[in-house]
């Protein structure tokens, strides 16, 4: 039994091999189901067996009626044979149904799991720029909803489409062997019945859509009204809100009533049309029987077959929207499966050590699909162990430099060297293990504090965690918590304050024992105590390591070996805090402005 991992690896490779498949739905399906055709085939065979009573029962019935209407023409043995066949055919339905579903489910469930797993792997491997372009909600929908739609479509095909098509084929074929006249009648009837169903369904869909829109509007309104209750109450506007809601409800009532009436009318008309059609068939076959062209029992056979054909066609038309949705979902999923925006850097040289000598050589950078260069002509040499602070107005390109350092993006031209090695040659995974990134917004997941700090590290001792906590000034918080380190922090770290989150992020950086630190200071204002605790923890973290900080607080900047003042993607001033103050340039102005504010 292959592991889930093995399955998806195989899948990912298949899609990579078939890059030209994009957009071709059936070929995408083929890639997904390749290797499962035997299961689908067996499922089909057992389906035919389990479904056979539907086709055989009318034949037996016809034979039996023929026998009783003209006993002298038939052998009694035939009577017994028919009854035995019927019994066997009915009883075999149970095992056949089980086997049919079992083979089908194995194939479909396997494809479902592999597809999700492949999507997740692919998302992990796609570049950060790809992720920043697609909203995460959209990606989630692809992994969850679209895969479900594909699964439903596959099931509907096997359980709805296939039986309906087989019903039509078998009914017409059996009829053709007995009476070509009746078979021709069936063939003429099919397109007419399609037109009838389509006509009535179209009208209903439109009314349905109108009603659904109204209901959605109403739910939105209800949610808003409930949310607004304190505001409404405070302004004494209850009456107005109640009236607004009432008129909306009246509207829904009206639309709902009209929908019910339309449904009743079209539902009944549809039924009447179908029944008249069947009466026509009955008259036709009765006439043939009266003329002696067909045996009397066959009238029952044809009548049953005709009903089956009509039901099958109407079923097919009803399933169609779901199949169409499935195809849309395949298209949507294939956007990811065939995406080629893999990671920016593909280097393979593993880093054993990172001293932290960093060189930016004439770096230009612009984000994809934008015109403007965010960084231009950027040159900077950072010696190992230096602490560099970036300052400058918002949009100057500070965070972009940190993204380039993390390897999320590659310079459009120019290059970045780490310890004299171009970043292009370095294996990013080995590089990133040696750096710690503390982003502006700490992202926490719903586990315990311990899990959040040790995220992704396999062999972390209790001492390591405690040490990191001590360094990050988190000790007092943890002591206050009832379950200490094992306290769950709620989804996305809901139960943590901004300052606490930042310190968890710093602890996360500490425990990795990084050789280089990349820090995007949070802009959010903190109380003085939190501010001090964070500053102290940061100072401890960056000691002796090459450090890049996007600084928003002057206290951080004072510690820096060099401050880089950025403007429009360029370095306009550079020096220590004192040097820049003495220069009385841009930095001096910024400082004066910030002092004026505080
Ligand atoms: P800073 O950190 O100095 O405020 P950034 O590096 O975040 O500046 O942004 C520099 C410029 O790049 C801004 O003009 C911003 O609008 C643009 N930018 C940032 N991220 C993206 C992105 N993912 N796609 C396109 N443009 C971006």
């Amino acid at each position: 039994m292959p592991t889930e991992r093995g399955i998806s690896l195989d899948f990912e490779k298949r899609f990579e091999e078939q890059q030209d498949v994009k957009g071709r739905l059936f070929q995408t399906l083929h890639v997904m189901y390749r290797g499962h055709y035997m299961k689908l085939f067996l499922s089909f065979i057992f389906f035919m067996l389990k479904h056979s009573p539907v086709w055989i029962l009318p034949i037996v019935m016809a034979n039996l009626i023929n026998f009783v209407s003209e006993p002298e023409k038939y052998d009694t043995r035939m009577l017994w044979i028919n009854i035995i066949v019927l019994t066997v055919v009915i009883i075999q339905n149970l095992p056949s149904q089980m086997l049919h579903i079992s083979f089908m489910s194995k194939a479909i469930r396997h494809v479902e799991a592999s597809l999700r797993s492949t999507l997740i792997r692919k998302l992990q491997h796609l570049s950060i720029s790809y992720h920043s372009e697609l909203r995460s909600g959209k990606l989630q929908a692809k992994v969850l909803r679209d895969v479900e739609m594909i699964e439903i479509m596959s099931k509907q095909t096997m359980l709805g489409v296939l039986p309906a098509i087989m019903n039509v084929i078998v009914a017409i074929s059996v009829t053709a062997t007995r009476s070509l006249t009746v078979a021709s009648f069936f063939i003429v009837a099919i397109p007419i019945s399609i037109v009838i169903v389509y006509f009535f369904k179209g009208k209903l869909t439109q009314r349905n859509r109108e009603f659904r829109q109204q209901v959605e509007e109403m739910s939105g309104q209800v949610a808003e009204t409930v949310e607004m209750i304190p505001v409404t109450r405070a302004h004494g506007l209850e009456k107005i809100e109640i009236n607004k809601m009432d008129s909306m409800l009246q509207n829904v009532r009206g639309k709902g009533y009209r929908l019910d009436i339309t449904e009743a009318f079209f539902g009944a008309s549809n039924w009447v049309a179908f029944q008249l059609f069947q009466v026509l068939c009955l008259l036709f076959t009765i006439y043939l029987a009266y003329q002696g062209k067909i045996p009397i029992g066959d009238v029952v056979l044809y009548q049953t077959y005709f009903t089956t054909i009509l039901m099958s066609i109407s079923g097919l038309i009803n399933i169609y929207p779901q199949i169409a949705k499935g195809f849309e979902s395949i298209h949507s999923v294939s956007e990811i499966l065939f995406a080629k925006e893999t990671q920016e850097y593909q280097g393979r040289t593993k880093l054993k050590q990172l001293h932290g000598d960093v060189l930016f050589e004439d770096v230009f950078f612009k984000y994809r699909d934008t015109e403007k260069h965010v960084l231009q002509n950027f040159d900077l040499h950072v010696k190992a162990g230096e602490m560099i602070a970036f300052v400058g107005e918002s949009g100057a390109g500070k965070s972009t430099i940190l993204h380039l350092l993390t390897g999320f993006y590659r310079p459009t031209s120019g290059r970045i060297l780490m310890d004299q090695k171009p970043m292009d040659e370095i294996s990013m995974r080995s590089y990133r293990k040696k750096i710690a990134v503390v982003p502006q917004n700490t992202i926490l997941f719903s586990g315990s504090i311990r899990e959040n700090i040790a995220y992704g590290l396999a062999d972390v001792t209790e001492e390591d965690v405690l040490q990191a906590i001590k360094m990050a000034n988190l000790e007092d918080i943890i002591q206050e918590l009832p379950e200490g380190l094992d306290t769950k922090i709620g989804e996305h770290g809901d139960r943590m304050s901004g300052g606490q989150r930042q310190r968890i992020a710093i602890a996360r950086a500490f425990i990795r024992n990084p050789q280089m630190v990349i820090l995007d200071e949070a802009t959010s204002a903190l109380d003085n105590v939190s501010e001090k605790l964070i500053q102290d923890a940061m100072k401890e973290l960056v000691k002796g390591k090459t450090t890049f900080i996007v600084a928003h607080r002057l206290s951080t900047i004072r510690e820096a070996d060099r401050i880089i003042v950025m403007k429009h993607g360029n370095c306009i001033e550079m020096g220590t805090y004192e040097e820049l103050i003495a220069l009385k340039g841009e930095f001096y102005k910024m400082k004066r402005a910030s002092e004026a504010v505080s």
Side-chain angles (χ1 to χ4, degrees), residues 263-277:
E263 244 170 13
F265 175 72
F266 286 118
S269 315
N270 200 5
W271 188 85
V272 168
F274 263 57
Q275 296 305 314
L276 286 177
F277 226 26

Side-chain angles (χ1 to χ4, degrees), residues 11-32 34 115 118-119 122-123 126 130 134 142 150 329-342:
F11 244 57
E12 205 178 350
K13 226 170 65 217
R14 281 191 203 173
F15 279 103
E16 270 162 19
E17 281 165 11
Q18 305 251 341
Q19 289 291 342
D20 58 324
V21 176
K22 187 173 184 176
R24 284 186 238 157
L25 297 174
F26 287 103
Q27 293 193 25
T28 309
L29 272 175
H30 170 63
V31 173
M32 291 187 326
R34 208 170 67 195
L115 200 54
T118 311
L119 284 170
K122 191 85 194 188
L123 287 177
L126 284 168
Y130 184 85
L134 276 179
K142 281 180 202 278
I150 296 175
S329 292
I330 291 183
H331 189 74
S332 150
V333 165
S334 61
E335 258 180 46
I336 297 186
L337 292 177
F338 296 110
K340 282 183 176 165
E341 288 88 349
T342 39

